[in-house]
């Protein structure tokens, strides 16, 4: 793009939903301009044109943090930049929504530490290993279902199914409820995309209804597991652990919603972006397939950097403080743009190149180091690795056959559909 720097900056409005529907290259150019010229940039908050059940008062605006070093610095200092007033939305979460979406990702210590401790104890290496053992079987089953067709929608028929089944299995959700989990989590992350919330419907109400349905599903399961414990995560969370700690009903429901939302869409999108990137770059695909196991660790992290499935997390300034020469006041909102940090020229050599052997790769796709660093990073890496291994093994010529159909969202770098083809086995 050859537009002058200043004009380019003045034309950028991250709060305009149309900005997020722009082609990826334009988005990249805008963030490159912000990093170079205005790395801590102020924006007014997005305006909601639709009337909603919960009125959303106009907010004070936010600062977009676009450089890697600043994103890392903020994540390291939760005492200065907290998550409690909502880390997952630009608006402060109203109480009606906090009931469902107020899990640990939107908490600070000591409440965050308590929840993370209980969950980490249940999410222990033995539990994760036993889930991991099933991933290959799940991936093979998914591929088997589409194998004879020669073509399918990669997102809905392949990429989405693996994380959904893994999380449901881990929590002990039965197969008949998968569809509820899938459709409700789509609504929660849809940002009102009309494919998931029909035109004219109140997106906040749809959001709350989806939360209610998932909470109800969890309540029933938790009650059953209290009486009939198994070795699933729900049983471990509702029955007190060795330190006598367990989650309350409300904590369990909102944690389940967090897991479903955080673990499903993100992994699904990473896998889908991965296929698209590998289709467009056969040379990189060849590098990986020639020595799959050796290249997998760097390839998978490069997919997460490249995809940046979560675009931002928010923090709120707790006291006057200065960052890279900018003075913040208490209450200022800062948005950590991971997609931009992951393309920072000061950190990544040739950041616009997809390189399956990239090392080092200090990307912040799973968040930057700090108390909220992704709890499922290890599991997600495993799912992505196994999925590509099985795809290359069973459908070696699989490729995307059209441009991705993208989710219109400023929060999730989502692909809704991606047609793909392969030689039918
Ligand atoms: C490629 C896949 C994934 C990506 C890109 C991703 C990304 C993220 C990001 C950016 C955060 C927030 C970090 C912060 O605020 O500092 C996060 C937190 C979290 N993620 Fe992931 N995630 C992925 C997969 C998963 C999976 C598979 C699970 C669980 C099954 C999971 C569970 C969580 C939880 C529970 C948190 C909240 C942690 C806390 O607040 O202490 N994520 N993830």
């Amino acid at each position: 793009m050859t537009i002058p720097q200043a004009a380019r900056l003045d034309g950028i409005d991250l709060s305009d939903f149309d900005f997020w529907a722009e082609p990826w290259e334009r988005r990249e150019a805008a963030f490159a301009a912000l990093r170079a010229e205005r790395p801590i940039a102020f924006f007014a908050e997005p305006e909601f044109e639709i009337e909603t059940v919960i009125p959303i008062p106009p907010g004070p605006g936010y600062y977009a943090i676009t450089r890697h070093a600043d994103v890392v610095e903020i994540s390291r200092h939760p005492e200065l930049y907290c998550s409690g007033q909502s880390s997952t939305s630009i608006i402060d979460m109203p109480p009606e929504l906090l009931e469902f979406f107020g899990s640990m990702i939107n908490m600070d210590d000591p409440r965050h530490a308590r929840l993370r401790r209980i969950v980490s104890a249940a999410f222990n290496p033995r539990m994760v290993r036993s889930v991991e053992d099933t991933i290959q079987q799940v991936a093979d089953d998914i591929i088997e279902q589409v194998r004879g067709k020669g073509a399918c929608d990669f997102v809905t028929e392949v990429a989405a199914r693996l994380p959904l089944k893994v999380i449901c299995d881990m929590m002990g959700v039965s197969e008949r409820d998968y569809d509820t989990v899938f459709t409700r989590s789509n609504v929660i992350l849809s940002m009102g995309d009309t494919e998931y919330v029909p035109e004219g419907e109140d997106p906040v109400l749809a959001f709350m209804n989806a939360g209610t349905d998932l909470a109800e599903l969890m309540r029933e399961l938790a009650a059953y597991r209290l009486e009939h414990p198994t070795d699933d995560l729900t049983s471990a969370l509702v029955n007190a652990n060795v330190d006598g700690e367990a989650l309350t009903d409300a904590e369990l429901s909102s944690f389940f919603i967090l897991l479903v939302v955080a673990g499903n869409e993100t992994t699904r999108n990473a896998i889908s972006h991965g296929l698209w990137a590998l289709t467009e770059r056969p040379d990189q695909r060849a590098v990986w397939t020639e020595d799959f196991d050796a290249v997998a660790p760097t390839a998978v992290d490069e997919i997460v950097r490249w995809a940046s499935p979560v675009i931002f997390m928010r923090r709120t300034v707790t006291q006057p403080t200065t960052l890279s020469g900018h003075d913040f006041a208490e209450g200022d909102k800062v948005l950590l743009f991971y997609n931009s940090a992951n393309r920072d020229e000061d950190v990544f050599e040739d950041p616009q190149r997809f390189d399956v052997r990239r090392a080092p790769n200090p990307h912040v796709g799973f968040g930057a180091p700090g108390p909220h660093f992704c709890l499922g990073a290890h599991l997600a890496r495993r799912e992505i690795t196994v999925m590509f291994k099985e795809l290359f093994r069973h459908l070696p010529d699989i490729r995307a056959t059209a441009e991705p159909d993208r989710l219109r969202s400023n929060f999730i770098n989502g692909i809704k559909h991606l047609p793909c083809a392969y030689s039918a086995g």
Side-chain angles (χ1 to χ4, degrees), residues 4 23 38 44 73 155 158 229 247 257 304 308 332 335-336 342 347 353 359 368 383 403 412 419:
R38 214 176 282 165
E73 184 65 13
V155 178
V158 180
L247 296 191
I257 294 172
V304 177
S308 295
D332 282 348
L335 263 57
L336 314 180
N342 282 342
V347 176
R353 188 165 46 92
E383 288 183 51
E403 292 265 328
I412 291 291

Side-chain angles (χ1 to χ4, degrees), residues 105 112 116 259 262-263 266 313 315 338 365-367 371-372 374 376 380:
I105 203 162
H112 172 262
R116 181 114 184 178
L259 260 200
T266 49
M313 283 282 155
R315 300 291 190 264
Y338 299 129
F366 291 117
H372 292 278
C374 178

Side-chain angles (χ1 to χ4, degrees), residues 335-363:
L335 263 57
L336 314 180
F337 279 97
Y338 299 129
N339 61 320
S340 175
N342 282 342
R343 297 285 191 279
D344 191 331
E345 309 65 12
D346 288 344
V347 176
F348 301 99
E349 202 190 313
D350 202 355
Q352 302 295 346
R353 188 165 46 92
F354 177 77
D355 175 2
V356 291
R357 283 191 186 276
R358 184 180 289 278
N361 187 352
H363 71 82

